[in-house]
Short mmCIF file of all heavy atoms in Angstrom, two decimals:
data_model
loop_
_atom_site.label_atom_id
_atom_site.label_comp_id
_atom_site.label_asym_id
_atom_site.label_seq_id
_atom_site.Cartn_x
_atom_site.Cartn_y
_atom_site.Cartn_z
N VAL A 1 -30.14 -25.54 32.00
CA VAL A 1 -31.10 -24.88 31.00
C VAL A 1 -30.16 -23.93 30.13
O VAL A 1 -29.61 -23.07 30.69
CB VAL A 1 -32.21 -24.17 31.57
CG1 VAL A 1 -33.17 -23.62 30.46
CG2 VAL A 1 -32.86 -25.04 32.71
N LYS A 2 -30.10 -24.31 28.78
CA LYS A 2 -29.21 -23.50 27.96
C LYS A 2 -29.85 -22.84 26.83
O LYS A 2 -30.54 -23.39 25.99
CB LYS A 2 -28.15 -24.52 27.36
CG LYS A 2 -27.39 -25.27 28.52
CD LYS A 2 -26.33 -26.14 27.72
CE LYS A 2 -25.31 -26.76 28.63
NZ LYS A 2 -24.18 -27.40 28.00
N SER A 3 -29.69 -21.58 26.68
CA SER A 3 -30.13 -20.82 25.50
C SER A 3 -29.34 -21.26 24.21
O SER A 3 -28.09 -21.41 24.28
CB SER A 3 -29.89 -19.31 25.62
OG SER A 3 -30.68 -18.85 26.82
N GLN A 4 -29.99 -21.42 23.14
CA GLN A 4 -29.40 -21.89 21.80
C GLN A 4 -29.35 -20.69 20.90
O GLN A 4 -30.42 -20.33 20.29
CB GLN A 4 -30.13 -23.07 21.28
CG GLN A 4 -30.09 -24.38 22.20
CD GLN A 4 -28.62 -24.95 22.43
OE1 GLN A 4 -28.06 -25.56 21.54
NE2 GLN A 4 -28.23 -24.72 23.62
N ILE A 5 -28.21 -20.08 20.73
CA ILE A 5 -27.88 -19.16 19.77
C ILE A 5 -26.46 -19.46 19.16
O ILE A 5 -25.68 -20.09 19.72
CB ILE A 5 -27.92 -17.68 20.32
CG1 ILE A 5 -26.87 -17.49 21.44
CG2 ILE A 5 -29.40 -17.33 20.77
CD1 ILE A 5 -26.71 -16.09 21.75
N HIS A 6 -26.31 -18.82 17.96
CA HIS A 6 -25.01 -19.07 17.28
C HIS A 6 -23.96 -17.98 17.79
O HIS A 6 -23.63 -17.02 17.05
CB HIS A 6 -25.07 -18.95 15.76
CG HIS A 6 -25.79 -20.12 15.17
ND1 HIS A 6 -25.93 -20.19 13.80
CD2 HIS A 6 -26.27 -21.23 15.59
CE1 HIS A 6 -26.53 -21.40 13.42
NE2 HIS A 6 -26.60 -21.94 14.57
N ALA A 7 -23.54 -18.21 19.00
CA ALA A 7 -22.65 -17.27 19.68
C ALA A 7 -21.99 -17.88 20.83
O ALA A 7 -22.70 -18.62 21.55
CB ALA A 7 -23.23 -15.77 19.92
N GLY A 8 -20.77 -17.64 21.17
CA GLY A 8 -20.21 -18.09 22.44
C GLY A 8 -20.39 -17.12 23.64
O GLY A 8 -20.96 -16.09 23.38
N GLY A 9 -19.83 -17.52 24.69
CA GLY A 9 -20.04 -16.69 25.91
C GLY A 9 -21.35 -16.62 26.49
O GLY A 9 -21.78 -15.69 27.15
N ARG A 10 -22.31 -17.59 26.18
CA ARG A 10 -23.60 -17.55 26.62
C ARG A 10 -23.85 -17.54 28.07
O ARG A 10 -24.64 -16.85 28.81
CB ARG A 10 -24.46 -18.79 26.13
CG ARG A 10 -24.58 -18.73 24.51
CD ARG A 10 -25.20 -20.09 23.96
NE ARG A 10 -24.29 -21.11 24.25
CZ ARG A 10 -24.51 -22.49 24.32
NH1 ARG A 10 -25.77 -22.83 24.15
NH2 ARG A 10 -23.52 -23.38 24.51
N GLY A 11 -22.90 -18.24 28.83
CA GLY A 11 -23.03 -18.42 30.22
C GLY A 11 -22.67 -17.05 30.96
O GLY A 11 -23.21 -16.79 31.98
N SER A 12 -21.85 -16.20 30.34
CA SER A 12 -21.47 -15.09 30.90
C SER A 12 -22.32 -13.79 30.34
O SER A 12 -22.00 -12.71 30.62
CB SER A 12 -19.95 -14.71 30.78
OG SER A 12 -19.60 -14.77 29.49
N GLY A 13 -23.11 -14.11 29.46
CA GLY A 13 -24.02 -13.14 28.82
C GLY A 13 -25.11 -12.58 29.68
O GLY A 13 -25.22 -12.90 30.80
N TYR A 14 -25.98 -11.71 29.15
CA TYR A 14 -27.10 -11.19 29.86
C TYR A 14 -28.23 -11.04 28.86
O TYR A 14 -28.07 -10.96 27.69
CB TYR A 14 -26.74 -9.96 30.59
CG TYR A 14 -26.48 -8.77 29.67
CD1 TYR A 14 -27.48 -7.89 29.21
CD2 TYR A 14 -25.10 -8.53 29.32
CE1 TYR A 14 -27.16 -6.95 28.30
CE2 TYR A 14 -24.85 -7.47 28.45
CZ TYR A 14 -25.82 -6.68 28.02
OH TYR A 14 -25.56 -5.50 27.17
N PHE A 15 -29.50 -11.07 29.41
CA PHE A 15 -30.66 -10.77 28.53
C PHE A 15 -30.97 -9.33 28.51
O PHE A 15 -30.85 -8.65 29.57
CB PHE A 15 -31.84 -11.61 29.13
CG PHE A 15 -31.83 -13.02 28.64
CD1 PHE A 15 -31.20 -13.96 29.62
CD2 PHE A 15 -32.17 -13.62 27.49
CE1 PHE A 15 -31.05 -15.29 29.40
CE2 PHE A 15 -32.06 -14.94 27.17
CZ PHE A 15 -31.54 -15.88 28.15
N LEU A 16 -31.46 -8.86 27.37
CA LEU A 16 -31.83 -7.39 27.31
C LEU A 16 -32.83 -7.11 28.42
O LEU A 16 -33.83 -7.75 28.55
CB LEU A 16 -32.33 -7.04 25.91
CG LEU A 16 -31.31 -6.95 24.80
CD1 LEU A 16 -31.93 -6.55 23.55
CD2 LEU A 16 -30.34 -5.93 25.13
N ASN A 17 -32.52 -5.96 29.01
CA ASN A 17 -33.46 -5.38 30.06
C ASN A 17 -33.48 -6.26 31.33
O ASN A 17 -34.33 -6.04 32.31
CB ASN A 17 -34.99 -5.31 29.55
CG ASN A 17 -35.21 -4.43 28.42
OD1 ASN A 17 -34.54 -3.36 28.28
ND2 ASN A 17 -35.87 -4.95 27.44
N HIS A 18 -32.59 -7.28 31.49
CA HIS A 18 -32.30 -8.03 32.58
C HIS A 18 -30.88 -8.14 32.82
O HIS A 18 -30.31 -9.32 33.06
CB HIS A 18 -32.93 -9.47 32.47
CG HIS A 18 -34.46 -9.42 32.22
ND1 HIS A 18 -35.29 -9.34 33.29
CD2 HIS A 18 -35.24 -9.34 31.13
CE1 HIS A 18 -36.60 -9.26 32.80
NE2 HIS A 18 -36.54 -9.32 31.45
N GLU A 19 -30.12 -7.06 32.84
CA GLU A 19 -28.64 -7.04 32.75
C GLU A 19 -28.04 -7.64 34.08
O GLU A 19 -26.94 -8.08 34.09
CB GLU A 19 -28.07 -5.60 32.57
CG GLU A 19 -28.12 -5.08 31.17
CD GLU A 19 -29.57 -4.75 30.83
OE1 GLU A 19 -30.54 -4.64 31.73
OE2 GLU A 19 -29.75 -4.22 29.65
N ASN A 20 -28.83 -7.56 35.10
CA ASN A 20 -28.22 -8.01 36.40
C ASN A 20 -28.55 -9.42 36.76
O ASN A 20 -28.21 -10.01 37.85
CB ASN A 20 -28.73 -7.09 37.55
CG ASN A 20 -28.24 -5.74 37.46
OD1 ASN A 20 -27.15 -5.44 37.11
ND2 ASN A 20 -29.05 -4.73 37.76
N ASP A 21 -29.39 -10.07 35.85
CA ASP A 21 -29.77 -11.54 36.01
C ASP A 21 -28.67 -12.54 35.59
O ASP A 21 -27.56 -12.06 35.13
CB ASP A 21 -31.03 -11.90 35.23
CG ASP A 21 -32.26 -11.49 35.98
OD1 ASP A 21 -32.19 -10.91 37.07
OD2 ASP A 21 -33.43 -11.60 35.40
N LYS A 22 -28.80 -13.70 35.83
CA LYS A 22 -27.79 -14.76 35.54
C LYS A 22 -27.76 -14.76 33.85
O LYS A 22 -28.66 -14.25 33.27
CB LYS A 22 -28.24 -16.12 36.05
CG LYS A 22 -28.24 -16.19 37.62
CD LYS A 22 -28.86 -17.50 37.98
CE LYS A 22 -30.32 -17.48 37.91
NZ LYS A 22 -31.12 -18.59 38.51
N GLY A 23 -26.83 -15.54 33.33
CA GLY A 23 -26.63 -15.60 31.91
C GLY A 23 -27.60 -16.43 31.25
O GLY A 23 -28.65 -16.82 31.77
N GLY A 24 -27.16 -16.95 30.10
CA GLY A 24 -27.93 -17.77 29.12
C GLY A 24 -27.76 -19.26 29.36
O GLY A 24 -28.35 -20.02 28.57
N VAL A 25 -27.02 -19.61 30.40
CA VAL A 25 -26.92 -21.05 30.86
C VAL A 25 -27.06 -21.06 32.34
O VAL A 25 -26.29 -20.42 33.07
CB VAL A 25 -25.51 -21.55 30.52
CG1 VAL A 25 -25.32 -23.01 30.97
CG2 VAL A 25 -25.20 -21.58 28.95
N ARG A 26 -28.14 -21.77 32.73
CA ARG A 26 -28.55 -21.76 34.15
C ARG A 26 -28.70 -23.19 34.71
O ARG A 26 -29.35 -24.02 34.14
CB ARG A 26 -29.75 -20.99 34.35
CG ARG A 26 -29.59 -19.47 33.73
CD ARG A 26 -30.79 -18.66 34.00
NE ARG A 26 -30.59 -17.27 33.42
CZ ARG A 26 -31.43 -16.22 33.51
NH1 ARG A 26 -32.61 -16.38 34.21
NH2 ARG A 26 -31.15 -15.06 33.08
#
């Protein structure tokens, strides 16, 4: 499951207010 935004590093990123969760590629 992949978040689609115009930016790299999605897999190692985090969602606001969910900093300890997995990134944007799961």
Side-chain angles (χ1 to χ4, degrees):
V1 184
K2 298 184 172 186
S3 301
Q4 298 294 287
I5 60 171
H6 286 181
R10 292 169 296 158
S12 58
Y14 64 89
F15 287 92
L16 284 182
N17 303 317
H18 298 273
E19 286 79 359
N20 297 322
D21 278 0
K22 297 170 287 186
V25 177
R26 304 184 179 185

